[in-house]
Amino acid sequence: MMKNKIGLLFFVAVLFASCDSNSVFDEYVALPKSSWNKNNTIQFTFPVNDSIGKKNLYINLRNNKDYGYSNLFLITQMNFPDGQVIIDTLEYDMADVTGKFLGQGFSDIKENKLFYKENITFPRTGDYTFKVRQAMRKNGEIQGVEELEGITHVGFRIEKTQ
């Protein structure tokens, strides 16, 4: 009886994984104590074998009720196999005008799928590295927020376009 339950559970897991056929890369990093230190650069390395097909790139974030801001500033860096580097400063809304967190989820954890790049092609095959760090500051202050509380996970996802 136990073997049947484990087999069924494995089958369901494989079925769900295969339903996400658009995913090319999808990885998360859990942040210790649900806090993102300003010096903690999250890094994802991924292979690119297709330099023709268009892709959408996303930064995935999970936040909890301890996140104290309505927006989020990030600094990203994409390293290409040939040594080229692209750095971007990005801002995302994390809450609506009433203060309700955006994103998906029924509990205190909200998952945000944030567009990073849309409809792009990678110019060459090889290993790419994507780096991201938080760049939050309080209004009127020069120093960045040392510990950004309420961010539980940071992820990076690449999807084939339809």
Side-chain angles (χ1 to χ4, degrees), residues 2-144:
M2 186 65 162
K3 279 187 175 182
N4 287 344
K5 286 182 180 180
I6 291 172
L8 181 61
L9 184 62
F10 179 74
F11 176 74
V12 170
V14 169
L15 183 66
F16 277 116
S18 66
C19 290
D20 194 6
S21 62
N22 288 338
S23 176
V24 174
F25 180 86
D26 194 3
E27 193 173 293
Y28 279 87
V29 172
L31 296 177
K33 299 180 184 174
S34 300
S35 182
W36 195 354
N37 185 283
K38 72 177 185 178
N39 298 315
N40 183 6
T41 299
I42 310 295
Q43 178 174 306
F44 303 94
T45 300
F46 56 94
V48 170
N49 301 316
D50 173 10
S51 62
I52 297 171
K54 294 194 179 293
K55 311 281 189 297
N56 291 330
L57 282 56
Y58 301 91
I59 300 167
N60 292 331
L61 292 172
R62 293 183 184 132
N63 68 285
N64 63 28
K65 62 181 176 29
D66 296 331
Y67 189 75
Y69 303 91
S70 63
N71 65 344
L72 175 67
F73 282 94
L74 300 174
I75 297 176
T76 62
Q77 178 177 321
M78 181 70 77
N79 296 355
F80 292 67
D82 64 356
Q84 179 185 0
V85 176
I86 295 177
I87 298 174
D88 291 305
T89 302
L90 308 166
E91 180 183 12
Y92 295 100
D93 289 328
M94 297 295 286
D96 65 17
V97 294
T98 66
K100 180 182 174 199
F101 283 127
L102 302 173
Q104 303 294 315
F106 297 106
S107 67
D108 286 341
I109 305 286
K110 296 295 180 190
E111 176 135 4
N112 294 275
K113 186 175 179 181
L114 310 170
F115 259 114
Y116 168 56
K117 302 278 184 188
E118 188 174 11
N119 255 347
I120 64 121
T121 55
F122 290 100
R124 54 191 42 82
T125 60
D127 287 341
Y128 287 72
T129 301
F130 175 75
K131 299 177 182 181
V132 59
R133 64 185 170 89
Q134 62 97 348
M136 292 295 289
R137 286 174 173 50
K138 292 185 179 176
N139 286 339
E141 292 186 17
I142 296 172
Q143 297 297 320

